[in-house]
Amino acid sequence: MKSNDTHPYLKGSRKEISNEKMNLIEGQIPKDIDGFAYVVCQMGNVNSEGLPFKKNNPDGTHNPDFQSPIMNGDGFVYKFDFSKSEQVKITSRLMKTPCYFADEATGTLGEAAKDPNFKNFHFSNMGISRLSMKLGARNFLNTAFLPVYFEADDNPSLLVTDDVARPFKLDPKTVELGTPIGKNSDWTSSMPPKLKFPFALTETTAHPCWDPLTKEFFSFNYSKSTNTELHKSYISKFLFSKNPEIAKELKAIAEHYEDHQSEEKAIKAIHALLNKQMHSVNPILRFFQKIWSGLKKIIGWIMDFGSSILGFSTPDRVYLMRSVDGVHMQKWRLKDQKGKDIVINQCMHQTALSQNHIIFVDASFKFALELFFNNPFPKEPWLDEFIRKISAKTMLPFTNLWYIKRSEIDNNKDTVTAYQLNEPLPYECIHFTADYNDSDGIKLYTIHNNSVCMAEWLRPYDISYYSQKTIEDYLISYFAICPLSVGRTGQFVIDPNTNTFASKIILREPGNLPGVKDLPSKGIDTSIGPNTWGLGLLAYKNHGSPTKVVGKINTLYYISLGAIPETLSQFVFDLYENYPWREMPTEDMLAYIKETIPQCLFSVSAETMTIKDSFVFNKNEHLSSIQYINSNDDEGEEDNGYVLVSVKTGDTLDLSGKFRSEIWLFKANALSDGPVCKLAHPKLIFVYTLHSCWLKHDSKVVSGHKIDIKEDYTSYINELFKEDTSKKEKMLSFFSTYVFPNYD
């Protein structure tokens, strides 16, 4: 590799690229592709100049964003143009939402940061979130896409999404953001009514649904009475404020914990400390005292917001959202077959749609207090470690599932039934899809991220499981995703008449492993073959098409992320040491992980759930995204297209070396032949890409319906602060100066 093409593993660049030709590293660019691939990733914030988050600011002071997880960052979209014969061009753009401009204005170099009228308007990283105590929560739009084709639009467009924000349209031609989907007032905030912010946190799904036949958009919006990430974020901001007295007393609690080793006693001591502190702070913060009175479940960190009459509580609510134009939203409150409100304990990351049903789950992406602080005590890392230890929890080892009968969605009613399955999906599950044809039952295809939570990241005080030394600096902020159980994928058929599974097929493949006793002499290499260690994402032909439904999926394509021993911390091992679904002896699994499990790409028959073909990567090659690309001759039942994957290729077997960010293409029906081409660009520098999509055309979209940003936020702010004229005027002044001019 050329040195000017390489970078550290955790290096990411926010520099935008405009229609530049990519370099062909190996192979030949196929001539039978005509279309556009889009890939999204997270790419730091307005203060960071990309990734990683640096330890110190330019003036040498401590950077409070240091060791934030890489998933906390602005959305950054790459567009790969395959429309020109034998060349590929790349364009990239930051996702500049209204709150992006507010963040930029109040950032380190922002104009508003110098204005005393807008003191404390700035945003700060709080673990996996970024918050302002005056403005609210950031909408990063950094997770996924949904191709759509609304009746009022002249061409298909893309929605770019996030788990905690309303989606926005993305123009396929320019890769610029357009109108949001729905007005601010259409979406229910997750925040207690007494906490009023113009940028509310909106809990939704990163994978809403589009029906190309009925031209309907479906999404979800929900709130939780306990364990909400926003409440915990704000609590942690107060808990870890720059108050030396709090730090001193927390140290004493931690020291006593070392003696008695009782988490219950430590929780009670922190509870008492918070009670004392809440009596000494100003009145607007005193309600947080009630939050901490419920420290009894999930290691004592459940929040109780007291009386809803006082506006300090958020109820358990889940709403179904529907739109046919992207502007006007319909909304139904969901209740289960017993008439009770739906409770989401984790998140609603994934949803799916069939001809007659809409399916959603309580997805396996945990939310715990440990995920909402970085390093509040940078000079006392052991204290940060203590707080994380007593507040941590594992993911739920199963997945609750519901489905809605589309025939029961009634425009004249404000509720609809969501039927909870009589038994949950076995194992954790964060991603799944479904056949559109459901005449013989709802057929789901699932990915089970066994013992792997993408919300965990490596921190400076983490201890490597294998070396028993502090992790290396080049790993700080990266995902702590080394699996402690072999992953699985499944096919589940639901009988909506009996509300049960009609059939189940589970695929678990550890690969062609040598005996543990033979590891010293044989090791593990590409001969391991296809395996399901650390299953990542999936793809299939016409997945996400804005104009075609997939009645029956023929072949599924998966990436397996293997197991990287460097990323296994003692903390994560302790969390999942007694994991219930591990079928391999723990000591054997640890021996295999120590050798590194290579990553792989493989295809599976959707009918039988058996592996058809595969390609195993070298240990210095790391995958993240996968996308099926249609060829010009790909209309038949069999797949005749290509599979695109994003790859980081290194010059060392561990993550300490130099890497190049690349795009590889495989022939879908010949994965084992290896990549047909590899592409790179000096400015293509990502850490970890996420979801992707494919469009046949990138025509600029002219929409008959759009939301005016200035009118939307002006109306929302006027309603939000109608009883506080001073605050309303200050907010409107800020928006008029720093946000609205970007939409003239």
Side-chain angles (χ1 to χ4, degrees):
M1 290 185 287
K2 296 180 180 178
S3 59
N4 64 341
D5 285 347
T6 62
H7 48 269
Y9 190 82
L10 290 189
K11 174 69 175 177
S13 173
R14 288 165 64 94
K15 293 181 180 178
E16 296 182 339
I17 310 167
S18 296
N19 201 35
E20 296 185 17
K21 183 179 178 180
M22 296 192 72
N23 300 323
L24 181 65
I25 304 301
E26 183 180 304
Q28 295 295 321
I29 298 173
K31 298 179 181 180
D32 59 344
I33 301 178
D34 185 5
F36 305 85
Y38 300 81
V39 181
V40 67
C41 66
Q42 297 117 339
M43 198 60 79
N45 61 41
V46 296
N47 299 325
S48 72
E49 300 180 350
L51 290 170
F53 296 102
K54 297 177 182 178
K55 187 172 184 177
N56 295 315
N57 294 315
D59 62 1
T61 58
H62 173 71
N63 176 14
D65 291 343
F66 173 60
Q67 74 106 334
S68 299
I70 62 169
M71 69 181 303
N72 181 335
D74 290 312
F76 197 71
V77 172
Y78 296 105
K79 172 186 176 182
F80 300 101
D81 180 354
F82 289 88
S83 66
K84 305 293 188 296
S85 179
E86 298 184 43
Q87 70 173 12
V88 178
K89 290 191 173 182
I90 181 175
T91 295
S92 62
R93 291 289 183 270
L94 277 166
M95 296 295 96
K96 297 181 179 180
T97 54
C99 59
Y100 168 88
F101 294 111
D103 198 352
E104 184 178 52
T106 58
T108 305
L109 303 177
E111 289 299 315
K114 308 169 188 175
D115 190 334
N117 290 317
F118 304 121
K119 184 180 180 181
N120 297 325
F121 271 51
H122 65 281
F123 290 81
S124 301
N125 282 3
M126 297 298 294
I128 60 176
S129 61
R130 183 165 174 82
L131 306 166
S132 162
M133 295 305 294
K134 297 292 185 180
L135 295 171
R138 279 298 317 273
N139 174 359
F140 289 130
L141 295 182
N142 62 13
T143 306
F145 302 101
L146 180 68
V148 296
Y149 194 177
F150 290 114
E151 286 281 9
D153 296 351
D154 61 347
N155 285 296
S157 64
L158 298 174
L159 303 186
V160 59
T161 67
D162 194 302
D163 283 291
V164 287
R166 60 176 172 169
F168 275 63
K169 272 189 179 178
L170 183 72
D171 191 294
K173 189 73 169 181
T174 64
V175 202
E176 301 286 352
L177 282 184
T179 182
I181 302 302
K183 297 178 181 179
N184 276 312
S185 57
D186 291 325
W187 296 87
T188 298
S189 171
S190 298
M191 308 167 76
K194 286 293 184 181
L195 291 180
K196 300 179 185 295
F197 299 104
F199 297 125
L201 186 139
T202 304
E203 295 194 270
T204 180
T205 174
H207 296 283
C209 299
W210 170 254
D211 190 324
L213 297 186
T214 63
K215 296 206 169 209
E216 293 174 286
F217 164 80
F218 291 100
S219 188
F220 292 84
N221 182 199
Y222 65 102
S223 63
K224 294 180 285 187
S225 60
T226 57
N227 289 335
T228 64
E229 62 273 32
L230 181 70
H231 305 157
K232 290 186 174 183
S233 300
Y234 277 87
I235 290 164
S236 64
K237 194 168 183 67
F238 292 116
L239 174 61
F240 305 125
S241 61
K242 294 180 180 179
N243 184 327
E245 187 62 28
I246 290 179
K248 180 180 178 180
E249 296 202 38
L250 279 172
K251 288 179 187 178
I253 294 171
E255 289 169 353
H256 289 144
Y257 173 78
E258 290 300 314
D259 294 331
H260 58 65
Q261 291 293 305
S262 170
E263 292 177 355
E264 183 178 357
K265 287 184 179 180
I267 292 295
K268 288 181 178 179
I270 292 177
H271 186 187
L273 170 61
L274 289 167
N275 272 330
K276 184 175 73 172
Q277 290 298 320
M278 292 309 163
H279 281 292
S280 65
V281 298
N282 66 58
I284 197 171
L285 304 182
R286 286 181 184 165
F287 82 92
F288 281 98
Q289 178 185 1
K290 293 184 179 295
I291 294 171
W292 295 93
S293 66
L295 295 176
K296 295 177 181 178
K297 295 186 288 186
I298 309 182
I299 317 182
W301 296 83
I302 295 292
M303 315 308 173
D304 177 9
F305 279 90
S307 172
S308 60
I309 297 175
L310 298 177
F312 295 138
S313 69
T314 51
D316 286 308
R317 296 284 188 272
V318 179
Y319 299 95
L320 174 68
M321 312 280 282
R322 179 173 71 180
S323 180
V324 295
D325 59 12
V327 173
H328 302 94
M329 304 293 289
Q330 295 172 285
K331 195 169 186 176
W332 293 266
R333 180 172 164 183
L334 298 183
K335 296 197 173 186
D336 65 18
Q337 57 267 50
K338 297 179 181 179
K340 296 182 178 180
D341 279 294
I342 308 298
V343 177
I344 299 297
N345 290 300
Q346 297 180 121
C347 74
M348 294 184 70
H349 179 75
Q350 181 77 65
T351 68
L353 176 146
S354 65
Q355 183 174 5
N356 297 295
H357 301 90
I358 303 168
I359 307 98
F360 65 95
V361 301
D362 190 350
S364 300
F365 185 98
K366 71 175 184 177
F367 289 104
L369 182 65
E370 49 149 325
L371 304 177
F372 297 96
F373 63 88
N374 301 332
N375 55 335
F377 304 105
K379 296 182 180 180
E380 306 283 356
W382 63 273
L383 188 52
D384 294 342
E385 185 178 8
F386 164 70
I387 297 295
R388 181 181 66 167
K389 181 176 181 180
I390 66 168
S391 63
K393 63 174 183 174
T394 64
M395 294 180 293
L396 298 176
F398 57 85
T399 305
N400 286 321
L401 180 149
W402 296 261
Y403 59 88
I404 299 164
K405 297 178 180 179
R406 294 175 65 178
S407 62
E408 295 182 357
I409 300 173
D410 188 338
N411 292 336
N412 297 315
K413 296 181 179 179
D414 57 8
T415 62
V416 65
T417 301
Y419 296 88
Q420 183 171 1
L421 213 58
N422 290 347
E423 62 176 302
L425 287 168
Y427 321 118
E428 305 92 322
C429 178
I430 193 169
H431 289 115
F432 64 94
T433 191
D435 285 343
Y436 188 79
N437 185 344
D438 58 7
S439 58
D440 294 325
I442 307 168
K443 184 176 282 188
L444 302 180
Y445 305 94
T446 58
I447 290 178
H448 300 286
N449 49 311
N450 298 80
S451 76
V452 175
C453 182
M454 295 295 285
E456 291 287 358
W457 74 96
L458 296 167
R459 312 192 194 195
Y461 49 79
D462 266 316
I463 302 298
S464 165
Y465 176 81
Y466 288 102
S467 72
Q468 285 299 299
K469 297 179 181 178
T470 304
I471 64 162
E472 301 290 347
D473 287 349
Y474 60 80
L475 293 171
I476 294 173
S477 296
Y478 192 55
F479 299 112
I481 54 173
C482 185
L484 286 168
S485 176
V486 177
R488 297 160 173 85
T489 180
Q491 179 206 94
F492 295 86
V493 178
I494 298 169
D495 182 350
N497 296 314
T498 63
N499 206 33
T500 59
F501 290 120
S503 65
K504 305 176 189 178
I505 304 176
I506 303 293
L507 170 61
R508 173 188 177 275
E509 178 53 72
N512 182 29
L513 295 169
V516 172
K517 294 181 180 179
D518 296 326
L519 279 175
S521 59
K522 294 185 177 180
I524 297 175
D525 55 24
T526 57
S527 64
I528 187 177
N531 63 82
T532 57
W533 287 78
L535 274 185
L537 303 175
L538 63 76
Y540 53 90
K541 182 176 175 179
N542 293 325
H543 184 200
S545 169
T547 58
K548 298 178 180 179
V549 298
V550 182
K552 181 180 180 181
I553 300 170
N554 179 47
T555 302
L556 294 154
Y557 300 87
Y558 298 84
I559 52 175
S560 164
L561 304 180
I564 305 172
E566 288 175 282
T567 65
L568 179 57
S569 66
Q570 184 67 50
F571 170 74
V572 169
F573 174 79
D574 291 343
L575 273 183
Y576 291 97
E577 181 177 8
N578 298 314
Y579 182 69
W581 305 123
R582 187 178 301 128
E583 296 183 6
M584 182 185 295
T586 302
E587 57 273 21
D588 290 0
M589 171 159 285
L590 291 170
Y592 289 128
I593 292 173
K594 188 175 183 180
E595 296 293 321
T596 302
I597 305 296
Q599 304 186 22
C600 70
L601 165 67
F602 63 96
S603 59
V604 169
S605 165
E607 183 66 29
T608 63
M609 295 304 290
T610 55
I611 295 175
K612 297 170 64 175
D613 195 8
S614 66
F615 179 84
V616 182
F617 292 76
N618 294 313
K619 291 182 179 180
N620 64 326
E621 296 163 345
H622 302 268
L623 307 173
S624 49
S625 297
I626 180 172
Q627 178 62 44
Y628 186 93
I629 291 178
N630 297 85
S631 68
N632 297 334
D633 182 27
D634 200 16
E635 295 300 321
E637 183 176 326
E638 294 301 318
D639 293 354
N640 195 37
Y642 296 84
V643 176
L644 176 151
V645 294
S646 55
V647 184
K648 288 181 75 85
T649 303
D651 59 10
T652 59
L653 294 182
D654 61 13
L655 303 183
S656 67
K658 297 293 185 179
F659 287 79
R660 182 167 59 205
S661 300
E662 301 174 348
I663 298 296
W664 294 16
L665 285 183
F666 291 79
K667 189 65 179 175
N669 56 18
L671 300 180
S672 57
D673 289 348
V676 297
C677 71
K678 301 178 183 179
L679 300 159
H681 188 282
K683 298 177 187 175
L684 174 63
I685 305 174
F686 56 77
V687 175
Y688 193 96
T689 60
L690 293 174
H691 292 284
S692 56
C693 69
W694 172 256
L695 286 181
K696 177 65 176 176
H697 304 287
D698 74 336
S699 303
K700 186 171 180 61
V701 177
V702 177
S703 178
H705 294 284
K706 65 178 182 179
I707 291 173
D708 183 280
I709 292 293
K710 183 176 181 179
E711 291 180 3
D712 186 35
Y713 277 95
T714 299
S715 174
Y716 191 61
I717 289 170
N718 281 331
E719 178 63 25
L720 206 61
F721 302 112
K722 61 184 178 182
E723 297 178 0
D724 190 335
T725 303
S726 175
K727 185 173 289 187
K728 178 176 68 177
E729 290 177 352
K730 177 177 282 193
M731 284 295 175
L732 289 175
S733 173
F734 176 84
F735 272 72
S736 297
T737 306
Y738 299 109
V739 178
F740 294 154
N742 297 286
Y743 295 93
D744 291 339

